[in-house]
Amino acid sequence: MTDQPTSPAGDHPQSAPTRRSLRHTAPLPHAGILPPPPRRRTTAGKPARHRSNALRPMRSLAVLTMVSGLVATVALPAYAAWQPADAEISTLQQIASDDAQSLVVASDSAAGQLSRESYAATTQAEIDQKKAAEAAAARARELARVASVPFDYNLVPPGSGTVRWPVGGPFTVTDRFGDRGGAHMGTDMVAAGGTPVYASVDGVVRISQDSYNAYGVTVVLESVLNGQQISTVYPHMQTGSRQVAVGETVTAGQLVGLVGSTGRSTANHLHFEVYLDGIAVDSLTWLEANAG
């Protein structure tokens, strides 16, 4: 028979050790097997969790905090920029009412009906019309002032040659001084184109231009006769017909140009003007009194 091992306490046979018996029985020192460490228990009698299990809620909380921060960073600005469609939009007055010193916008201005008198002329035609009306009014006032003062047109003996007729050929007087509501400051002498135009009195050329505003080709002479300053004007002459230059001294009867229709003109004529001491006078009456 095979010998059965006996326990140190007696001769009773010993069965094979089980795991449970090994856990509760300390091995012999010579067996070389260390007993498993005893399981630690908490004060409540339950086993303590592993350290990694204890740190897991902290990691979850940190991750949740980071995710919440990202959501807030992205979502809050977008939400702040969004406004409902029916939200009331702030006006400039409301925005600037706290900080601005003064704010005026179009919505604050009182509505009113515009009238013709409330704005100035803007087109060139309106500007020209307004200027013509103002000039006519000024001339009318000047005429009234001159008419109220007795004026002696006789400066030299008629026919002495000191004063001469400016048109050297047949002519017809049409519009006279003061016509057109006081806007006509000279005498229109209608003559054939190319008829000679002479200086009416000795003088010095102050203006000699091919385009003198509405007068077209024009010569203006400055003279002194019996102590009076006299200006004689010769406009609407033919282009290229001027015979005198600025600063040149001329004598009565000297050729200064030819009758034409330049500037604001509708027919060949000489629009002859005379100014005594800067005041416009009836040029036809002046010629009749001095040229004979």
Side-chain angles (χ1 to χ4, degrees):
M1 292 179 64
T2 304
D3 293 335
Q4 296 292 335
T6 60
S7 65
D11 298 331
H12 300 289
Q14 185 177 2
S15 61
T18 64
R19 289 184 177 180
R20 182 172 296 178
S21 64
L22 290 175
R23 283 198 302 266
H24 295 283
T25 305
L28 297 176
H30 62 271
I33 301 175
L34 294 175
R39 181 174 297 180
R40 291 178 296 174
R41 295 182 179 270
T42 62
T43 57
K46 296 182 180 180
R49 293 184 177 180
H50 195 269
R51 179 177 299 178
S52 62
N53 293 336
L55 295 177
R56 186 173 302 166
M58 298 179 63
R59 287 199 301 268
S60 300
L61 181 60
V63 172
L64 181 60
T65 303
M66 294 177 62
V67 172
S68 300
L70 290 175
V71 171
T73 303
V74 176
L76 289 180
Y79 178 78
W82 173 84
Q83 290 183 353
D86 58 350
E88 183 178 357
I89 299 175
S90 298
T91 64
L92 289 177
Q93 295 95 325
Q94 294 170 342
I95 295 173
S97 60
D98 294 334
D99 261 343
Q101 295 177 348
S102 176
L103 178 66
V104 178
V105 294
S107 60
D108 290 337
S109 59
Q113 295 294 329
L114 294 177
S115 62
R116 180 71 177 178
E117 291 76 17
S118 65
Y119 60 92
T122 55
T123 66
Q124 188 60 44
E126 289 178 326
I127 293 173
D128 292 342
Q129 185 178 5
K130 185 176 180 181
K131 287 183 177 179
E134 292 174 351
R139 288 165 182 167
R141 290 192 298 270
E142 189 63 31
L143 284 175
R145 187 179 73 83
V146 172
S148 64
V149 178
F151 191 83
D152 185 8
Y153 289 96
N154 296 297
L155 299 177
V156 295
S160 64
T162 304
V163 176
R164 302 187 184 186
W165 290 88
V167 178
F171 64 88
T172 301
V173 174
T174 54
D175 290 348
R176 297 191 56 162
F177 179 79
D179 287 350
R180 306 176 192 173
H184 199 252
M185 306 305 292
T187 302
D188 284 349
M189 303 176 181
V190 178
T195 301
V197 176
Y198 300 120
S200 284
V201 65
D202 297 349
V204 177
V205 179
R206 180 170 65 88
I207 294 174
S208 180
Q209 292 184 13
D210 281 339
S211 181
Y212 185 58
N213 300 323
Y215 285 178
V217 179
T218 304
V219 169
V220 177
L221 303 180
E222 296 291 341
S223 309
V224 177
L225 190 60
N226 285 343
Q228 279 191 310
Q229 186 74 31
I230 301 174
S231 298
T232 52
V233 184
Y234 311 81
H236 303 309
M237 293 189 296
Q238 284 185 356
T239 300
S241 69
R242 288 183 296 114
Q243 301 296 310
V244 293
V246 174
E248 183 178 344
T249 300
V250 299
T251 58
Q254 182 176 335
L255 182 68
V256 295
L258 303 175
V259 170
S261 184
T262 57
R264 190 175 297 174
S265 172
T266 57
N268 290 315
H269 73 290
L270 176 67
H271 172 80
F272 184 62
E273 296 182 1
V274 175
Y275 294 82
L276 299 181
D277 294 330
I279 299 174
V281 299
D282 188 334
S283 53
L284 183 60
T285 302
W286 181 79
L287 285 171
E288 291 173 342
N290 295 278

